[in-house]
Each structure stands twice: as structure tokens, then as C-alpha cells.
Amino acid sequence: MTTAIAVLSTTVLAGCSGTTGSGGTTLRLVAADYGNSPETSSSIYWKKVASAFEKDHPNIKVDVDVRSWKTVDADVAGMVKDGDAPDMAQVGAFADYANEGKLYSADQILSVPVQSGFVTQLADAGKVNQVQYGLPFVASTRLLFYNRKLFENAGISAPKNWDDIESDAQALKSDGVSVPFALPLGTEESQAETMMWMLSGGGGYTSTADGSYSIDSDENVNTFKWLQHNLVGKGLTGPVAPAKLDRADAFKEFTEGKVGMLNGHPTLMNDARKAHIDFGMVPMPGKDGKAKNSMGVADWMMAFKQNGHAKEIGEFLDFAYDDKNVMDFVKQYDLLPVTYSANTLMAADKGHNDLREFQKTLGASELYPFGKSSWSQVSDTIKKNIGKAVEPGADPQQILTKISKDANAADAAASASHGK
């Protein structure tokens, strides 16, 4: 997932998928780990939820298998390929499985109150061919972070549009800041940085008319021309070329006080606070003011049909999406809840003041085109190539057109393979 950095792989007892024990049913859940140590492992959370559920449902046992974000998507894909799909998987993508007819739809497993309680933008992003298969699990949005001390030293204030970003970056550079604006377009997560800037420029990944990839739209091309000329070309993005800068490195330099501005998510907020960096956060500015939309990110829960346990899966997921369980998880990892009721609870809790700025942008956020089974392939293409679009002497139009052409070809191939 893009909303947490998880490096730990922890496996809790995982029996044969969907087995039926004596007098009851055993469900298997494979989940991603949002922690970075044994003490913060998500296995602790899921074992607690499973134990509480089993007390009220003595005929259903839940075995939990928690794995690192680095491998969990591939691990689940391997299980499905081997005919040993888990009953439930909480991972990063669902469209391929939905297109292959392997998943229960939301209305086949969830109670009406739970299904209708998801934030609309997130529920819609979980749909394939207008049917919801991906159940949002947690979410986050992105904000523009800035180092208050560096800004005060340079005599500037938080930017409100692109001209402000450029002028602020120029002032920071003149004041000796090595990285006025960190622009991570390396292979780690450049699809996120790309989308933030596209939305900021009035564009996006897909066409609102027909849903096709529109990566080379006029708005997107103009955005990357601006980045190339006004930031990169003027030496305002630091000594490392954007194509070689990964998000983790950019975050690290921000917490070391070397970066004036960059786009970030709640994890950066916590890391910066621990490093005693005085920072501010504002919504990503648009070209002439407010951006078209903010960028949202969600991770997903899905339910596989293979073992035929729709009723039992539904009972467990109804329990898992109870406000208390949702809030326990998001509090631990500083993420945003995916239901309206839990968002209301978070908004009323003064202990979550720092997350409110992220929460405010969730309702108007735009997510990746998760419903396209081609998205994972397209995302990989973007990661490998988008940094070239801002290199001095490059032609952003040509590079974005090539990426868009490859994206639509991948989409057509995916649709053909699923008989669409």
C-alpha cells in the first residue's frame, strides 16, 4: 500500500483456506501489515478482532495471515493461481479478481447498513462495471507540507497557487535551502506524485467522457511543461534529478530539515513531528488557486467465492467494519476511516486534530482508477517513465503520449482477456 511503509512480514496461524472444522467453519484472512516492528504489527489488531468475533460466533473460526506490503499482493495472487484462495484478502488491488468472477460483490456479503455506510467516493472506486467488489478498508489523502522555519527564514508564506510555489522555491533557494521543492518522480511511488500534479493542473489519469486513459491530455502536458520549465529547469528541485528521487528519500530529507516543500501523507506528519520539524500543511494548490480535486488513496478488502462461505464472510466483515474496530485501526496507524459514521467520530475527537486537514479533503478526493484491471500495469509504466517528462531538453508531450498509448493498449488487452 501507498499510505503506510510496512517492512515486517508476520504470519499468524493459517490453516487450509476455508476449511470446515468440527462443528463450524474456518475462514482465512490474508491481510497487509501496516506496522514496522513486532510491537506495531497489524497481526496484533487482527488477532484481537478475530478473538472478539469468535466469542460471539462460536461456530466460526478466523485464521489470520498477516504479510508485508512488499509481498502481500503477489502472495495472494499466487494463492489464487494455485487454487487456494483465502476467504478474504485485505490488499491493494481487486479488479483482476472481479473480472475473473472470483469475488463476491458487496451486496452478496454485507448487511445493508454496512454497505451503505462507505464514503461514496471510496465505494465508487471499488466498482468494476458498476458493481462494487472492492470494500474500502482504510484511506488517506495528500497535502502539501512545508518547513515553517525555512519559510520564516526566507520571509515567505504557504503557497496558494503555482506562481507562489515557484516564487517560494526561488526564495528558499536564495536562502541556501538545498531542496526548495522535493519532486519524487522515481520508481517508488511516482504514480502518486504524478496524479497530484495532474489534478492540480485540471487533468487526471482518465477521461470523464469515456473512462479511457487520458494521460496525454492538454492539461496534463501543460502541467509537466510547467514542472520542467518552472521548477526543474530553474534548479528548484534539488541536486537529485526527480527521475532518481524516491518518496522515502524525499520524506527523509524533509525530516532532516533539508526540504522546503513537498507533497505528503499522514506518515510524514508523524515522522516530521518525531524529528522536531516545525511544519505546516495546506491543500495542494491549483495552477490559479484551488486544485480540481485532492488525491485520495484507499486500500481494499475483498471476499473470494472459492470456498462458498458468503454468509460467514459477511458476518465477520459486518463485525470488522463496526465503528470501534475501524477507529482502533486508524488511530493506531494515523489513517482515515472509510465509513461516514467513523469519520464523524474522528471529526469529533480532539485527539485527531492533525488528521482533520487530511479528512477535510477526503470527500472531494479522486482516487486511482482501481476499477481498471490494467491499472497495476499502467502504474508500473508510469513509475518507470514519468520522470523523463521533466528532464531538461525532453518533450513532455511525446513522453506522455507514449505512456498514454501504452496505457490504453494495456486496458484494451485486459478487457479482451476478460471477454469485455
Side-chain angles (χ1 to χ4, degrees):
M1 171 206 181
T2 58
T3 57
I5 300 175
V7 297
L8 177 71
S9 177
T10 304
T11 302
V12 184
L13 178 62
C16 296
S17 179
T19 58
T20 301
S22 57
T25 299
T26 297
L27 302 176
R28 180 156 62 113
L29 166 67
V30 176
D33 197 341
Y34 291 73
N36 56 16
S37 69
E39 292 74 27
T40 62
S41 172
S42 300
S43 64
I44 298 171
Y45 167 83
W46 281 116
K47 284 193 291 185
K48 181 179 178 181
V49 172
S51 177
F53 172 78
E54 290 168 357
K55 288 181 180 178
D56 291 336
H57 300 79
N59 291 327
I60 305 174
K61 177 176 172 54
V62 182
D63 283 344
V64 181
D65 185 353
V66 175
R67 302 189 179 210
S68 166
W69 264 114
K70 291 183 178 181
T71 65
V72 68
D73 284 288
D75 290 347
V76 171
M79 294 172 194
V80 174
K81 183 178 180 180
D82 292 341
D84 186 31
D87 293 284
M88 298 162 286
Q90 185 271 299
V91 290
F94 59 87
D96 276 344
Y97 304 122
N99 275 318
E100 292 167 0
K102 296 183 182 297
L103 300 181
Y104 288 115
S105 60
D107 61 352
Q108 290 177 311
I109 51 174
L110 298 178
S111 65
V112 172
V114 172
Q115 187 184 355
S116 62
F118 292 123
V119 173
T120 301
Q121 287 85 347
L122 304 178
D124 287 345
K127 293 179 179 178
V128 174
N129 298 320
Q130 306 304 311
V131 178
Q132 185 183 358
Y133 294 95
L135 314 179
F137 179 66
V138 289
S140 73
T141 58
R142 299 293 193 264
L143 295 174
L144 179 70
F145 285 67
Y146 63 97
N147 183 310
R148 280 202 177 101
K149 180 179 179 180
L150 297 181
F151 267 57
E152 290 173 3
N153 291 344
I156 55 178
S157 57
K160 297 180 180 179
N161 54 45
W162 286 6
D163 287 344
D164 289 349
I165 290 177
E166 181 183 356
S167 62
D168 284 354
Q170 288 280 15
L172 291 164
K173 182 179 180 181
S174 297
D175 203 44
V177 177
S178 60
V179 188
F181 195 105
L183 186 66
L185 295 177
T187 57
E188 181 192 359
E189 206 203 18
S190 54
Q191 84 284 0
E193 187 74 17
T194 296
M195 184 171 176
M196 282 181 270
W197 279 101
M198 286 180 170
L199 292 174
S200 179
Y205 277 132
T206 57
S207 167
T208 55
D210 60 8
S212 63
Y213 288 107
S214 56
I215 296 169
D216 60 344
S217 69
D218 291 343
E219 293 85 355
N220 292 340
V221 171
N222 289 334
T223 292
F224 275 83
K225 285 182 177 179
W226 188 89
L227 288 171
Q228 180 192 48
H229 180 265
N230 295 67
L231 289 186
V232 181
K234 295 182 179 179
L236 302 178
T237 56
V240 177
K244 296 182 179 180
L245 180 65
D246 283 337
R247 183 192 64 180
D249 294 329
F251 280 18
K252 182 175 184 293
E253 290 193 334
F254 185 81
T255 62
E256 293 172 349
K258 300 176 182 178
V259 173
M261 294 175 277
L262 81 170
N263 291 310
H265 54 58
T267 297
L268 178 59
M269 176 181 66
N270 297 325
D271 291 345
R273 187 182 295 110
K274 291 176 182 176
H276 306 292
I277 298 295
D278 185 13
F279 62 91
M281 303 179 295
V282 294
M284 176 65 177
K287 183 176 182 180
D288 300 312
K290 188 176 180 180
K292 170 187 172 183
N293 278 321
S294 62
M295 176 187 164
V297 177
D299 297 328
W300 305 95
M301 179 73 74
M302 69 193 81
F304 286 90
K305 292 180 177 179
Q306 180 177 319
N307 302 301
H309 293 148
K311 180 178 181 296
E312 293 85 353
I313 291 171
E315 290 181 14
F316 177 73
L317 292 180
D318 278 355
F319 182 84
Y321 279 105
D322 177 78
D323 283 346
K324 180 184 181 303
N325 292 324
V326 171
M327 291 303 294
D328 283 349
F329 193 90
V330 298
K331 283 180 180 179
Q332 181 174 354
Y333 298 108
D334 284 312
L335 295 167
L336 299 180
V338 297
T339 64
Y340 285 110
S341 57
N343 268 284
T344 299
L345 290 174
M346 175 172 278
D349 188 342
K350 293 181 180 179
H352 292 293
N353 284 345
D354 288 339
L355 283 170
R356 285 181 185 170
E357 288 303 313
F358 293 94
Q359 194 178 20
K360 288 177 184 177
T361 63
L362 181 62
S365 64
E366 185 170 323
L367 284 76
Y368 297 132
F370 286 112
K372 288 180 172 290
S373 57
S374 60
W375 170 240
S376 60
Q377 181 180 343
V378 172
S379 175
D380 188 57
T381 298
I382 293 166
K383 291 178 184 180
K384 292 176 180 176
N385 295 286
I386 197 65
K388 302 172 186 176
V390 298
E391 292 176 352
D395 181 355
Q397 172 79 67
Q398 183 180 37
I399 292 167
L400 291 177
T401 296
K402 177 64 165 61
I403 294 174
S404 193
K405 181 179 179 181
D406 290 347
N408 282 305
D411 199 40
S415 296
S417 69
H418 296 303
K420 300 288 189 298

